[in-house]
Amino acid sequence: MSYEDFAIAAVKVIETTGGAIMVVGGILAFAWYGRQVLRHDVDPYRRLRANLGRVILLGLEVLIIADIVRTIVVDQSVQSVGVLGLIVVIRIVLSFSLEVEIDGAWPWNGWRTKARPGADAASPGSATTGRGAS
């Protein structure tokens, strides 16, 4: 097995891992949502959206790693670098928009939402799981 064959196989494993993160994470997010609905937790839909956003962000980060490895090791051409740049820009825009959906603020303004009184209890990413009246 040559170095290039190994790199191609590694890229396939990384891409499969990124896809699996999104699929398994999505299934787990929906399972967690069902549990929260049955327990009558506060705002389970918002938490579902936040959890799905986190799963997608993590999967996209892993897929970017695969794209970088492929461009640097496997396909070293100006065209592949251009395609990689475009893919990274698109994924960065997606990541920023997902972070806004999850946190309700741009990543560089996150301190503002955390500084508000009571913001941590109501934020979708908080660890508290308030219970509604049954």
Side-chain angles (χ1 to χ4, degrees):
M1 176 181 260
S2 72
Y3 178 71
E4 188 173 319
D5 292 337
F6 176 77
I8 291 170
V11 166
K12 288 180 182 178
V13 168
I14 295 169
E15 287 176 336
T16 302
T17 302
I21 287 171
M22 286 193 262
V23 170
V24 172
I27 291 169
L28 291 174
F30 276 104
W32 187 258
Y33 170 74
R35 181 177 175 265
Q36 289 176 335
V37 167
L38 293 174
R39 290 178 47 194
H40 303 289
D41 283 353
V42 176
D43 208 2
Y45 177 70
R46 177 180 289 230
R47 291 191 181 145
L48 170 66
R49 290 182 63 190
N51 289 334
L52 284 174
R54 285 187 193 96
V55 165
I56 293 168
L57 280 172
L58 181 59
L60 285 174
E61 295 292 334
V62 173
L63 290 173
I64 287 174
I65 293 169
D67 291 334
I68 291 170
V69 170
R70 180 185 299 111
T71 300
I72 292 173
V73 177
V74 178
D75 187 19
Q76 298 175 351
S77 69
V78 174
Q79 181 180 0
S80 66
V81 171
V83 170
L84 173 66
L86 183 62
I87 289 171
V88 168
V89 167
I90 291 170
R91 289 188 178 160
I92 287 171
V93 170
L94 283 173
S95 295
F96 277 151
S97 61
L98 284 170
E99 280 199 47
V100 170
E101 279 291 319
I102 292 169
D103 297 333
W106 290 105
W108 52 86
N109 285 337
W111 62 273
R112 290 182 182 172
T113 59
K114 291 178 179 120
R116 287 191 320 228
D120 57 333
S123 70
S126 67
T128 60
T129 57
R131 301 279 306 237
S134 298

